[in-house]
Amino acid sequence: MFRRGLNICKNNNGFEIESHYDRILHSCTSLAFLSQIHSILTTTGIIKHSVHLNARVIIKYSDFLHLQSARFVFNATDHESSSFLWNTMLRAYANSGFCSEALEFYSLMRKTGIRPNNYTFPFALKSCADNLLPTYGKLLHSEIIRTGFGSDIYVEAALIDMYAGCDFIQDGRKVFDKMSYRDLVCWTSMITAYEQSEQAETALHLLHQMQQESFCLDWVTAVTVASAIGQLGDARRAQSVHGYAIRHAFFQDLPVVNSILSMYAKCGEVEKAEIIFHQTKQRNTITWNSMLTCYSQNGQASEALALFEQMKISDVNPNQVTALIVVSSCSYLGSQQLATKIHDFIIQNKIETNLTLWNAIMDMYAKCADLDTALRMFQEVPLSHLDVTSWNTLISGYGMHGYGKEALKLFNNMITHGFQPNHVTFTSILSACSHSGLIEEGRNCFSEMEKLCVKKEPKHFACMVDMLGRGGFLDEAYELIKNMSSEPNDEVWGALLLACKIYGNATLGKVAADNLFHLEPQHTGYYVLMSNIYATSRNWQEVGKLRQDMKNKGLRKPAGVSLIEFDNKLHGFHTGEEFNSFTREIYEKVERMVVEIKMVGYVPDLSCVFHDVEEEDKHGMLSYHGEKLALAFGLMNVSDTGLAIRITKNLRVCSDCHLAFKLVSRVYGRKIIVRDVNRFHHFEDGFCSCNDYW
DNA sequence: CTAGGGTTAG
């Protein structure tokens, strides 16, 4: 009935039929419905008479990523005569990301003798950018000039995008400069090109020029500008973009909200990002991910994980990006229970795990003291599918746990299997050697760097200085620094300073410290280290001087926090935690703990106390160290004695706590795993896996 | 009758 009615109509007025179906196709939202319409159009023969409807069906199929059906429609048409349907098919390929198909199709078009026009080139160019084919793009450029379309504004804009996409910003700029007329889109394209290649200042400079030519930003430009300012981390200019967006009512557009949210995140303005996040009622996955990133990038990993719990019960679905952020937050916190939970979530929600995410999960397990799982994941992937990051992750994981020999084996395996190591590989292997005291092996690796074509960077020297310094080769370490080809940085001097602390070498320590105070005057850790060196030699005068120096500069010792997982939650303990009903019990436990380990020979190591306070106060301050509170909490709550008590600390564990933990592990018969900023310590029966070498 | 610039992660 339906069909006959249409046929009657068609006989009366063919044009009306066409626009009728055009409307139906336009509002078509499912592939099944589209196929139905398509078959009606074919059997009635309506489609034969309308080039326009053919084009509409092709585009519609490509919207559903059914390029085969689209191509089928194209092939059935009489397309020899004009370039219109060719352009449509090319558009279908290009806009759906089928870049190589698009380019193949373009060359077929040329071979068939169809002349490209101003509509053809933008689509062909787009496929070069997405496909990173600068050579082909340049070829097209000369063809564009030859065929006389070089000053079509759409073609020029596409050229700029193509060059930008292929990382040839300068060639894009040449096109831009030659344009006789530019509209807002061209300006935005050029500005985006600079922003994407991390030339934020140039991007903003161009924006300024654009405004002088009386163009106003639209919401797309605003997004790009927000991104550029985020790159610079300029909180003042961030505020002004925010204001501009509000004044021009761009805040209706979610992409603008998201880009401003992440701009604030990159400027370290967590509170402002939070306000925007809470004000936004219609959030999408990007909104959530931006806020998660904000927390994770600003050192608030626990907040990120808490937000993730909220996201789970929201109506928005986490994706691969979400997984990456959450996984890296968990790596930072080092909680094994959470690691398993997050991994399960990824599997249950069928989040596609590419190699990047796979490596991140491996890293999470390694940093949550579950090396076995990390290794299993590594072995699950065929060798040919692994990348350098996979190897680096495992090498550094083994290194952190003090398995230097295994790390070296992995490193050698990697070379044997023909993988090209990079700068991260050497940082990992050198620090692995350092943690295990494998000095000779470390020296060998270091000297092999040139042969393996990896440039020696300051951080590699820092690893070497750390390794030699811990091993007691202070002079060799200092010589290495003096012979560096580039200027030694704070990491290098920091490693030397640490070694001087271990060996109580105040003279060399002062050399390192003076360099550090010059390079990083705001970094409190170095003042603390140097004054610890003075404190060890009871040079209270110098300790006082340094402390006054810090006071004058308004510096404070960073707050140490120790995290312990219990009941699927993380509990944080700060040094000098306030006394309340909850902590009272814990303090009492610490007191009992100290009494018990004193019976097996514990003598508090007072050198860890920074301030030169009265001796009896010092005892008090030591027992209030966050890691001791966390340990007491663990002893009270982790009732399964076969289970290790796991603690993560944001600073280095101090030597007093290290000693206390060893003794607690013996007296209480408990395994304790501590991750500090540098490495893992596995305490068991009075010993630590680091062999007191850390 | 067909075209272009955009947000998160790494």
Side-chain angles (χ1 to χ4, degrees):
Chain A
M1 254 243 322
F2 182 50
R3 260 179 227 176
R4 203 165 48 164
L6 281 165
N7 277 327
I8 294 160
C9 252
K10 185 193 165 216
N11 294 335
N12 292 341
N13 188 344
F15 189 68
E16 244 173 54
I17 291 288
E18 192 179 30
S19 61
H20 172 70
Y21 274 104
D22 184 46
R23 273 197 302 275
I24 293 179
L25 283 168
H26 191 74
S27 56
C28 168
T29 50
S30 83
L31 182 61
F33 188 52
L34 173 62
S35 329
Q36 231 178 328
I37 304 291
H38 181 200
S39 78
I40 292 172
L41 287 171
T42 316
T43 46
T44 53
I46 296 174
I47 204 164
K48 273 244 173 294
H49 305 286
S50 168
V51 178
H52 180 71
L53 282 179
N54 272 300
R56 185 66 88 187
V57 173
I58 291 173
I59 292 302
K60 213 62 212 185
Y61 270 123
S62 78
D63 283 351
F64 296 113
L65 292 178
H66 258 241
L67 275 295
Q68 277 167 338
S69 305
R71 183 61 182 268
F72 181 77
V73 176
F74 172 82
N75 288 344
T77 58
D78 169 30
H79 47 254
E80 303 291 323
S81 47
S82 80
S83 45
F84 171 52
L85 281 177
W86 287 89
N87 287 345
T88 309
M89 192 62 223
L90 185 62
R91 170 192 172 191
Y93 279 130
N95 284 353
S96 324
F98 290 83
C99 299
S100 36
E101 286 84 351
L103 294 176
E104 262 169 50
F105 188 77
Y106 174 77
S107 71
L108 179 68
M109 179 177 178
R110 303 292 285 132
K111 270 184 228 151
T112 316
I114 305 290
R115 297 182 66 161
N117 61 19
N118 53 328
Y119 288 95
T120 317
F121 289 116
F123 299 129
L125 287 166
K126 186 182 176 146
S127 299
C128 297
D130 292 350
N131 222 356
L132 292 171
L133 286 172
T135 335
Y136 205 93
K138 288 202 168 168
L139 218 73
L140 278 173
H141 192 173
S142 54
E143 212 155 275
I144 286 163
I145 293 166
R146 210 152 18 88
T147 44
F149 291 106
S151 45
D152 179 284
I153 193 164
Y154 284 90
V155 175
E156 288 170 311
L159 277 169
I160 295 171
D161 288 333
M162 182 274 292
Y163 280 125
C166 297
D167 240 7
F168 285 113
I169 316 291
Q170 276 315 312
D171 297 79
R173 183 61 192 255
K174 271 185 215 151
V175 175
F176 180 81
D177 286 337
K178 270 196 223 143
M179 293 178 77
S180 50
Y181 170 75
R182 303 180 190 99
D183 65 5
L184 181 61
V185 175
C186 299
W187 280 101
T188 311
S189 285
M190 200 61 236
I191 292 169
T192 307
Y194 283 118
E195 183 266 315
Q196 297 279 341
S197 64
E198 287 172 6
Q199 302 182 46
E201 282 295 1
T202 320
L204 293 178
H205 182 70
L206 203 63
L207 174 78
H208 185 65
Q209 277 180 279
M210 181 187 102
Q211 286 173 311
Q212 284 187 328
E213 295 197 16
S214 302
F215 283 102
C216 286
L217 293 79
D218 72 354
W219 70 270
V220 182
T221 325
V223 163
T224 297
V225 170
S227 182
I229 288 170
Q231 262 178 45
L232 297 171
D234 185 334
R236 197 181 49 80
R237 278 196 276 188
Q239 184 80 55
S240 78
V241 178
H242 187 186
Y244 188 94
I246 292 172
R247 284 197 302 281
H248 292 79
F250 295 154
F251 246 58
Q252 313 297 324
D253 302 301
L254 198 49
V256 177
V257 175
N258 292 340
S259 67
I260 287 179
L261 177 53
S262 55
M263 169 180 75
Y264 276 134
K266 287 177 195 149
C267 296
E269 300 271 17
V270 182
E271 288 88 1
K272 284 182 179 158
E274 275 172 334
I275 290 170
I276 292 177
F277 181 79
H278 290 300
Q279 279 172 351
T280 309
K281 295 285 166 270
Q282 297 259 335
R283 301 169 188 150
N284 64 9
T285 308
I286 294 180
T287 320
W288 284 92
N289 288 351
S290 302
M291 196 61 226
L292 286 170
T293 309
C294 176
Y295 284 133
S296 132
Q297 297 282 309
N298 287 288
Q300 301 186 21
S302 317
E303 279 79 359
L305 291 181
L307 191 69
F308 176 58
E309 291 303 315
Q310 284 183 39
M311 184 181 182
K312 281 191 203 165
I313 53 171
S314 75
D315 52 358
V316 170
N317 288 327
N319 64 8
Q320 205 180 56
V321 177
T322 320
L324 261 169
I325 306 164
V326 173
V327 164
S328 83
S329 299
C330 182
S331 306
Y332 179 80
L333 293 171
S335 158
Q336 193 195 28
Q337 287 169 12
L338 285 176
T340 317
K341 229 172 99 180
I342 289 167
H343 194 188
D344 284 347
F345 178 87
I346 291 170
I347 294 166
Q348 273 158 27
N349 287 270
K350 300 192 170 57
I351 293 177
E352 195 206 323
T353 308
N354 61 6
L355 191 56
T356 310
L357 183 55
W358 190 266
N359 288 337
I361 297 172
M362 247 164 54
D363 189 51
M364 171 174 74
Y365 277 120
K367 291 202 173 123
C368 294
D370 194 349
L371 264 180
D372 292 339
T373 310
L375 180 64
R376 247 200 329 274
M377 287 186 69
F378 183 84
Q379 288 165 338
E380 255 176 60
V381 182
L383 262 181
S384 56
H385 288 56
L386 293 170
D387 65 2
V388 206
T389 311
S390 321
W391 288 95
N392 292 350
T393 304
L394 209 58
I395 291 172
S396 92
Y398 274 89
M400 284 183 80
H401 286 273
Y403 300 117
K405 289 249 161 70
E406 283 76 2
L408 275 166
K409 254 185 229 160
L410 275 166
F411 176 70
N412 289 327
N413 268 338
M414 174 183 178
I415 306 292
T416 323
H417 285 105
F419 283 86
Q420 169 64 44
N422 62 14
H423 61 111
V424 182
T425 318
F426 276 97
T427 318
S428 308
I429 194 66
L430 290 175
S431 73
C433 291
S434 175
H435 288 317
S436 301
L438 299 170
I439 294 174
E440 203 40 51
E441 291 84 345
R443 283 197 190 107
N444 287 338
C445 287
F446 189 66
S447 64
E448 267 181 42
M449 286 184 71
E450 275 118 7
K451 212 167 70 195
L452 290 163
C453 307
V454 180
K455 197 171 163 263
K456 282 178 182 160
E457 291 170 33
K459 62 182 169 190
H460 300 124
F461 282 92
C463 289
M464 284 303 288
V465 171
D466 184 71
M467 185 181 81
L468 294 168
R470 285 170 199 276
F473 300 92
L474 287 177
D475 295 331
E476 189 182 338
Y478 187 40
E479 280 305 309
L480 192 68
I481 296 178
K482 284 196 284 194
N483 290 326
M484 274 176 70
S485 49
S486 55
E487 205 55 37
N489 66 0
D490 58 318
E491 285 178 290
V492 176
W493 289 117
L496 186 67
L497 184 61
L498 189 72
C500 293
K501 156 80 175 56
I502 297 171
Y503 290 96
N505 187 332
T507 327
L508 196 52
K510 193 174 179 330
V511 177
D514 284 342
N515 278 291
L516 285 164
F517 297 158
H518 175 69
L519 286 166
E520 293 281 320
Q522 300 298 316
H523 196 297
T524 45
Y526 302 134
Y527 290 88
V528 176
L529 258 180
M530 190 60 221
S531 68
N532 278 343
I533 297 176
Y534 285 133
T536 314
S537 50
R538 300 187 163 262
N539 189 344
W540 300 120
Q541 204 185 348
E542 290 296 329
V543 172
K545 264 197 217 162
L546 273 179
R547 209 169 65 174
Q548 191 56 45
D549 209 18
M550 276 178 79
K551 229 185 206 163
N552 294 345
K553 289 179 179 152
L555 302 176
R556 293 188 61 190
K557 200 177 167 180
V561 57
S562 297
L563 300 169
I564 177 163
E565 63 179 13
F566 171 66
D567 199 18
N568 271 320
K569 271 197 232 88
L570 282 169
H571 304 264
F573 291 94
H574 296 85
T575 300
E577 187 90 34
E578 289 216 4
F579 219 80
N580 58 37
S581 54
F582 174 67
T583 53
R584 172 179 301 275
E585 240 187 302
I586 296 166
Y587 278 115
E588 284 166 7
K589 180 76 182 173
V590 175
E591 299 292 331
R592 282 203 302 280
M593 211 168 76
V594 170
V595 171
E596 293 210 44
I597 56 178
K598 271 186 179 161
M599 294 198 281
V600 290
Y602 170 66
V603 181
D605 178 354
L606 301 185
S607 71
C608 297
V609 183
F610 173 38
H611 307 288
D612 80 14
V613 283
E614 298 301 319
E615 291 288 316
E616 53 269 48
D617 284 349
K618 279 188 194 165
H619 287 277
M621 287 174 78
L622 279 178
S623 25
Y624 290 79
H625 259 180
E627 47 266 59
K628 287 202 189 75
L629 296 175
L631 180 58
F633 178 87
L635 286 173
M636 286 156 61
N637 289 297
V638 184
S639 48
D640 180 354
T641 49
L643 226 57
I645 296 171
R646 297 160 173 277
I647 294 169
T648 307
K649 167 146 180 128
N650 67 336
L651 303 171
R652 265 167 49 85
V653 60
C654 81
S655 55
D656 180 68
C657 284
H658 195 263
L659 173 63
F661 276 44
K662 279 197 293 187
L663 296 171
V664 167
S665 76
R666 169 171 292 163
V667 172
Y668 290 79
R670 302 290 303 247
K671 278 191 210 169
I672 308 161
I673 301 175
V674 177
R675 193 188 106 188
D676 70 8
V677 274
N678 273 327
R679 60 165 295 153
F680 278 96
H681 302 265
H682 296 253
F683 297 95
E684 195 175 354
D685 194 28
F687 292 97
C688 177
S689 61
C690 75
N691 287 320
D692 301 336
Y693 188 87
W694 89 95

